[in-house]
Amino acid sequence: MNIKELFQGIGVIQIQGDQTTKIDGITHDSRKVQNNFLFICITGFVSDGHDFISQAVKNGATAIMVERDDVDVPEGIARIRVSDSRKAMALVSKRIYGAPDEKMKIIGITGTNGKTTTTYLIKSILESAGEKTGIIGTISNMIGDREIPASRTTPEAPELFYLLDNMVRERVNCVAMEVSSHSLELNRVEGCRFEVGVFTNLTRDHLDFHKTFENYVAAKAKLFKQSKKTVINIDDKYSDRILKDLNSRLITYAIHKDADVTADNISIDEKGVRFKLKTGDDSADIAMNIPGIFTVYNALAAAAACYAIGVNISDIKNGLENVRSVPGRFEVIENDRDYTILLDYAHTPDGLENILKTVNEFARARIITLFGAGGDRDATKRPEMGKIAGKYSDLCIITSDNPRTEEPMEIIRQIEKGVKYEGCEYVIIENRLEAIKYALNIGKENDVIILAGKGHENYQILKDRVIEFDEKKIVRELLDKDDI
């Protein structure tokens, strides 16, 4: 594909150079440039791609896309100027990979909580219906049963369309995709066609990036302007904001309101949930091994999305019941002790409250909650998480999460205010490994120890480095030692 073909109809400001120049690939990372590549200059939060043009040319770039007018490129290199590099990057990514999003059914899920689990449930349902299915999300990307590491919830546009193209080549029919608010705001999915867009819920999160809750809501709502069908949790108090100006076909789900997909006769215990699922005129009794009312909502989201594309109730039932667990989501770490160890990604006030409320429904002894909060993120949620943990726990162990460039103890002190407010017993152990060791040492018969915040992550981000930190592996190694 040449430059003229690649940028036709995309709305560039100016093209300088030979428009018949062949383009074999695109990237926004100068280190990944190869011969005959288009290098896309992105003005980032830490660095500016315009500063790496010479490196990109050295590595083989034959064309440069810029959004600044004061940038020159070497002689013989084509220069394409656009008003928005991120938006144009998504559109040319889609084009160079042959619009793979239009060759499959993509179900995009957005919301504060539940996205990851919902993608796994959708994949299981669709596979029960005989569809080869992919996942794009937080834990990993999947093509059928093959896992591909994921660096972020929703990839940048070149990686996204490359991945979708690979899925097409491997005969994937459907994709369940987490769509983060960051990706929507930064135009990573610009031009991507979604068969179904799903809204799970909205609570306070990512205000370090979006600045205001209004901006956060507006970012989430962008998904539904690109979706042929929209699935919405109308029990959520912000659903009306998503419904505003909606012009796609609507499918609703709820527990407490009349909706297209509902659940009633709900029973929850430590072994899981049971409920009657209704989709239109059909119904089925569902039994799932993951406890919590949030499991019912995730199941409804997945069922409604699959119902929207014509999956029958029998395949929905089989798919939901086939999922035993999702990595790092209310995951029980098997052990030979007399207590229960739960691993969960809960890193928001709402996520932490959901987990703790569920555990309170079946706990027979103490609830010990080990948690922290991420650095360089919304600081206002830290005391709120402390209050929630203090309210629903018998003992809180306040520790580090991913402190990033912040001082871990400063984050901990902000959390501590909330725990103190509730009057809960607590200890502070900054080193997360030592905190886990302490929790395992003090665990007694029938206690439930919750390791919250890291979930599936196998690393910890410190000020000057990223270290290996796989909590499932750490717990198993500690329990094998004689001193625990």
Side-chain angles (χ1 to χ4, degrees), residues 359-360 362-368 394 444-448:
V359 173
N360 268 271
F362 64 79
R364 290 179 289 163
R366 295 181 303 170
I367 297 174
I368 300 170
D394 296 290
K444 298 178 180 178
E445 185 177 0
N446 295 326
D447 284 349
V448 179

Side-chain angles (χ1 to χ4, degrees), residues 394-411:
D394 296 290
L395 171 65
C396 290
I397 303 172
I398 314 174
T399 186
S400 284
D401 191 291
N402 291 320
R404 299 182 176 88
T405 66
E406 289 193 61
E407 288 298 327
M409 283 306 300
E410 178 57 30
I411 298 172

Side-chain angles (χ1 to χ4, degrees), residues 196-217:
V196 182
V198 180
F199 169 74
T200 60
N201 52 64
L202 210 58
T203 61
R204 185 186 183 90
D205 199 16
H206 301 306
L207 296 196
D208 55 295
F209 175 77
H210 294 288
K211 306 306 179 189
T212 70
F213 194 75
E214 288 295 326
N215 291 342
Y216 183 44
V217 175

Side-chain angles (χ1 to χ4, degrees), residues 96-381:
I96 203 165
Y97 288 113
D101 55 307
E102 298 180 14
K103 299 171 185 175
M104 58 178 71
K105 293 178 179 178
I106 301 178
I107 299 173
I109 302 98
T110 198
T112 306
N113 298 309
K115 297 188 295 295
T116 299
T117 299
T118 301
T119 61
Y120 275 73
L121 295 176
I122 288 172
K123 184 175 188 288
S124 182
I125 293 170
L126 292 174
E127 287 175 342
S128 291
E131 303 283 357
K132 186 172 183 180
T133 305
I135 282 181
I136 297 175
T138 305
I139 296 176
S140 66
N141 302 314
M142 298 184 71
I143 301 179
D145 293 328
R146 181 163 67 90
E147 289 195 34
I148 303 166
S151 59
R152 51 168 54 94
T153 298
T154 311
E156 291 284 4
E159 291 81 13
L160 171 62
F161 284 99
Y162 172 78
L163 182 58
L164 292 174
D165 181 51
N166 281 343
M167 290 182 176
V168 169
R169 294 174 188 274
E170 296 195 31
R171 302 185 185 280
V172 167
N173 309 109
C174 302
V175 177
M177 175 179 170
E178 293 184 55
V179 187
S180 68
S181 59
H182 287 71
S183 72
L184 289 159
E185 188 64 28
L186 296 174
N187 297 309
R188 291 179 196 155
V189 296
E190 180 74 20
C192 187
R193 188 190 72 176
F194 293 91
E195 186 70 20
V196 182
V198 180
F199 169 74
T200 60
N201 52 64
L202 210 58
T203 61
R204 185 186 183 90
D205 199 16
H206 301 306
L207 296 196
D208 55 295
F209 175 77
H210 294 288
K211 306 306 179 189
T212 70
F213 194 75
E214 288 295 326
N215 291 342
Y216 183 44
V217 175
K220 292 289 188 186
K222 289 181 180 181
L223 172 64
F224 307 103
K225 292 177 170 46
Q226 296 173 228
S227 304
K228 290 173 64 177
K229 300 165 189 170
T230 295
V231 168
I232 290 186
N233 170 16
I234 57 172
D235 276 347
D236 188 86
K237 63 182 179 180
Y238 296 106
S239 60
D240 288 345
R241 309 272 282 276
I242 303 297
L243 287 166
K244 186 180 178 183
D245 301 325
L246 198 65
N247 55 16
S248 58
R249 181 190 162 196
L250 175 64
I251 297 93
T252 60
Y253 71 93
I255 293 174
H256 303 295
K257 296 180 180 178
D258 290 333
D260 299 304
V261 178
T262 61
D264 59 17
N265 298 333
I266 298 170
S267 173
I268 301 173
D269 59 29
E270 70 274 14
K271 295 179 180 178
V273 297
R274 286 160 297 285
F275 59 94
K276 181 176 285 297
L277 171 69
K278 295 182 180 178
T279 59
D281 296 327
D282 297 318
S283 65
D285 292 321
I286 307 294
M288 299 177 66
N289 286 348
I290 308 171
I293 193 66
F294 56 86
T295 297
V296 182
Y297 274 110
N298 292 337
L300 288 177
C306 295
Y307 170 69
I309 60 173
V311 179
N312 65 52
I313 191 75
S314 177
D315 288 325
I316 291 174
K317 172 182 169 66
N318 290 336
L320 292 176
E321 294 185 338
N322 284 340
V323 176
R324 301 301 178 190
S325 66
V326 176
R329 270 63 178 174
F330 211 91
E331 184 177 5
V332 176
I333 301 179
E334 298 296 335
N335 67 88
D336 59 1
R337 306 303 165 100
D338 293 328
Y339 49 69
T340 299
I341 306 168
L342 283 175
L343 189 66
D344 198 88
Y345 189 51
H347 61 286
T348 65
D350 186 63
L352 189 60
E353 186 170 25
N354 285 338
I355 296 302
L356 288 169
K357 278 185 174 180
T358 298
V359 173
N360 268 271
E361 291 174 2
F362 64 79
R364 290 179 289 163
R366 295 181 303 170
I367 297 174
I368 300 170
T369 304
L370 181 152
F371 73 111
D376 300 336
R377 298 294 185 266
D378 180 13
T380 60
K381 69 181 182 183

